[in-house]
Amino acid sequence: MPKLGMEPLRRRALIDATIAAIGDAGTLDVTMSDIAGRAGVSSALAFHYFRGKDDLLLATMRHILAELGRDARTALKNAKTPRARVSAMLEVNFSAKQFRPEIIAAWLAFYVEAQRAEPMRRLLRVYASRLHSNLMSGLSALLPRDQAVMTAEGVAALIDGLYIRRALKQGEPDAASAIALVEDYLSLKLP
């Protein structure tokens, strides 16, 4: 007899195990069996909750994006000026919760999978649209519209590029230098 209320806990354990497994491997070369073992459940149960590794990766990225979204909303709510809104987005994207090796590895796997799987591509478009919108919430008050759009694209490209670059390095991510690099770019673009 299944225990009531266990499904959300097991799903979350599988998502956390997916992040850890991808982080350790640095790629998607992990199996459902490996992930299930890390989560402390059977492979059969993992397949019961998620039809396969693609579904589990999609759920994992939705989880990561949901956390990023919650943190972004809180940061934007607390930002008092348009310029502070832009900096708040950098702080969120390079926060200790997001800019850590296992999450970075999951993002890299996500970027790769988005090239072949339409559900992943759709989720990536949602992420890109939200990031653009959040950046524009500050930039549109600081720059003419066309310049704000170009600057938001530049900042988004730097964020994504720094995640990819970080995924290819060893050691702990350096959020402060990543933020400083993007802030330097912004100093060239903002009056």
Side-chain angles (χ1 to χ4, degrees):
M1 177 71 76
K3 294 181 183 175
L4 292 177
M6 288 303 293
E7 182 175 348
L9 297 174
R10 288 181 177 146
R11 283 181 174 273
R12 176 61 193 264
L14 285 161
I15 287 169
D16 291 343
T18 301
I19 293 168
I22 292 171
D24 287 347
T27 70
L28 273 179
D29 291 337
V30 295
T31 65
M32 283 291 278
S33 178
D34 178 40
I35 293 167
R38 286 172 182 261
V41 301
S42 69
S43 294
L45 195 57
F47 279 104
H48 171 74
Y49 291 129
F50 302 99
R51 289 177 297 202
K53 195 165 68 170
D54 287 348
D55 285 348
L56 184 51
L57 180 60
L58 186 61
T60 299
M61 288 314 300
R62 282 186 176 138
H63 170 76
I64 290 170
L65 287 171
E67 283 189 342
L68 181 66
R70 280 190 298 275
D71 293 347
R73 285 188 297 279
T74 299
L76 290 173
K77 184 178 165 185
N78 294 329
K80 303 299 182 208
T81 66
R83 181 63 179 88
R85 292 177 73 79
V86 177
S87 290
M89 289 311 304
L90 300 181
E91 294 289 335
V92 166
N93 278 278
F94 295 110
S95 70
K97 187 192 294 184
Q98 291 292 327
F99 201 57
R100 54 190 168 107
E102 60 274 17
I103 298 293
I104 293 168
W107 272 101
L108 189 59
F110 178 52
Y111 292 141
V112 170
E113 288 299 300
Q115 299 305 303
R116 69 164 195 82
E118 184 55 33
M120 296 287 198
R121 190 174 301 121
R122 259 192 318 274
L123 192 56
L124 186 57
R125 283 194 299 264
V126 168
Y127 156 72
S129 177
R130 285 182 184 160
L131 178 59
H132 180 80
S133 176
N134 288 337
L135 290 168
M136 288 297 290
S137 74
L139 291 171
S140 61
L142 301 170
L143 295 167
R145 173 101 178 127
D146 60 330
Q147 290 178 21
V149 168
M150 296 245 337
T151 302
E153 283 298 309
V155 169
L158 283 168
I159 291 169
D160 290 345
L162 287 164
Y163 266 74
I164 292 168
R165 183 173 274 198
R166 181 63 244 159
L168 302 174
K169 290 184 177 179
Q170 297 295 319
E172 287 301 309
D174 183 2
S177 68
I179 291 169
L181 191 126
V182 182
E183 288 286 359
D184 185 58
Y185 169 78
L186 284 168
S187 72
L188 299 173
K189 296 294 186 180
L190 297 176

